Amino acid sequence: MPDQPPAVSVIMPVLNEERHLRNSVRHILEQEYDGEMEVVIALGPSTDRTDEIAAELVRETESDARARVRTVPNPTGRTPAALNAAIKASGHPVVVRVDGHGMLSANYIATAVRLLAETGAQNVGGIMHAEGENDWENAVAAAMTSKIGVGNAAFHTGGQAGPAETVYLGVFRREALEQQGGYNEEFIRAQDWELNFRIRESGGAIWFSPELRVQYRPRPSVKALAKQYKDYGRWRHVVARYHSGSINLRYLAPPAAVCAIAAGLVVGAVLTPWGLVVPAGYLAAIVAGSLPAGKGLSPKARLQIPVALATMHMSWGFGFLTSPRALAKKVIASRRPAAGAQPVEA
């Protein structure tokens, strides 16, 4: 008789997710996985119906012996605190991180468990596959899955399976999380990168595989997308200060673009119209890049791709350039040394 698959804890940090929470949990409960599962939702101080929907999910799964939903409070509303609270409240040997707007593919957990065994990695993850539900979200999804939008990031655009610096979300061995003391709660963003850095520093492996796929719902407005990417840039600069040598040209491209465009506009307005060549060149580049990215979309969605691209680039670059050094100093002061990795059983 074949061995029973390991039991799995699915942890979800949730804040104002009434639009997607039920569907996200449904994709978990309907997984093609024979092992036992539990879903632990860490509830932040939402201002919509998120808590009510979570309570309904708890009631609906009370009699399910295979997969129950539970909730824990996260009064801070911060993602790393939510993740740590859910980890503490869960108990199974494999821990799967899912966001409240992420939809797992049907065999995601079974594939991840297999990859953990095959690779000996401490954490495995795959592709953040953005999909929209209207023209704007489809435009953002196209931007987020194109190289002109996000560079060569494998978890956005795909790539070969292999060791990675970090992965989207992640499926962990519980022992790895416990050895590292969980997520560093000072990292309001980029907490995944920081935790994976400590795992790698301790000798553990992080593994990317395109077999793992999570549907991701993009932000529903320009304002929300701008805030998301400004925060990404702000915290990526914290990471660069936290770990010297972690920056590369892909991360420097957006702040360089912001500086070049701002300089070009000033020069064009004050000295010579030739200064406008830089912003005009950038505009031409994102319009040209949006053409292949928008293949198959409606005309309205395709017209919005350059707006999404510019919002992502400029917001990320602005966040990176304005990230306060004091924030990095506070985070660096909370640095946790990586714990030694334990041997992995074959």
Side-chain angles (χ1 to χ4, degrees), residues 116 119-124 171-177 179 196 199 202-207 341-344:
L116 284 174
T119 65
Q122 302 294 310
N123 180 21
V124 300
V171 177
F172 298 84
R173 299 176 188 272
R174 175 174 294 276
E175 66 224 35
L177 294 172
Q179 286 159 11
N196 286 322
I199 291 174
S202 70
I206 311 300
W207 188 266
Q342 298 296 320
V344 175

Side-chain angles (χ1 to χ4, degrees), residues 6 12 14 23 36 53 71 81 83 113-114 138 142 147-148 200 215-216 220 225-226 230 257 259 309 313 316 329 341:
M12 300 183 71
V14 168
N23 196 24
E36 182 182 347
I53 293 168
T71 62
L83 291 167
V113 169
R114 172 176 61 79
N138 286 333
K147 289 192 175 181
I148 192 172
R200 289 186 292 107
Q215 287 183 9
Y216 168 86
L225 182 67
K230 185 190 78 172
C259 291
L309 287 169
H313 294 161
W316 203 102
K329 288 181 177 178

Side-chain angles (χ1 to χ4, degrees), residues 121-191:
Q122 302 294 310
N123 180 21
V124 300
I127 294 175
M128 175 184 178
H129 183 68
E131 288 188 5
E133 296 181 325
N134 55 46
D135 287 327
W136 165 250
E137 291 181 2
N138 286 333
V140 177
M144 292 181 70
T145 53
S146 67
K147 289 192 175 181
I148 192 172
V150 295
N152 61 352
F155 68 84
H156 280 295
T157 61
Q160 296 295 315
E165 282 191 354
T166 191
V167 290
Y168 179 55
L169 300 179
V171 177
F172 298 84
R173 299 176 188 272
R174 175 174 294 276
E175 66 224 35
L177 294 172
E178 292 177 346
Q179 286 159 11
Q180 302 303 331
Y183 291 84
N184 185 335
E185 296 186 14
E186 293 296 334
F187 274 83
I188 308 305
R189 297 287 185 272
Q191 65 276 156

Side-chain angles (χ1 to χ4, degrees), residues 34 41 65 89 103 156-157 192 196 216 224-225 254 266 284 306 332 337:
D34 294 331
I41 303 173
M103 317 296 162
H156 280 295
T157 61
D192 296 307
N196 286 322
Y216 168 86
L225 182 67
V266 170
I332 290 168

Side-chain angles (χ1 to χ4, degrees), residues 230 233-234 237 241 252 254-260 262 314-325:
K230 185 190 78 172
R234 176 186 177 100
H237 204 163
R241 288 167 169 158
L252 293 176
V258 170
C259 291
M314 297 299 101
S315 300
W316 203 102
F318 179 79
F320 188 94
L321 292 168
T322 59
S323 181
R325 189 173 293 274

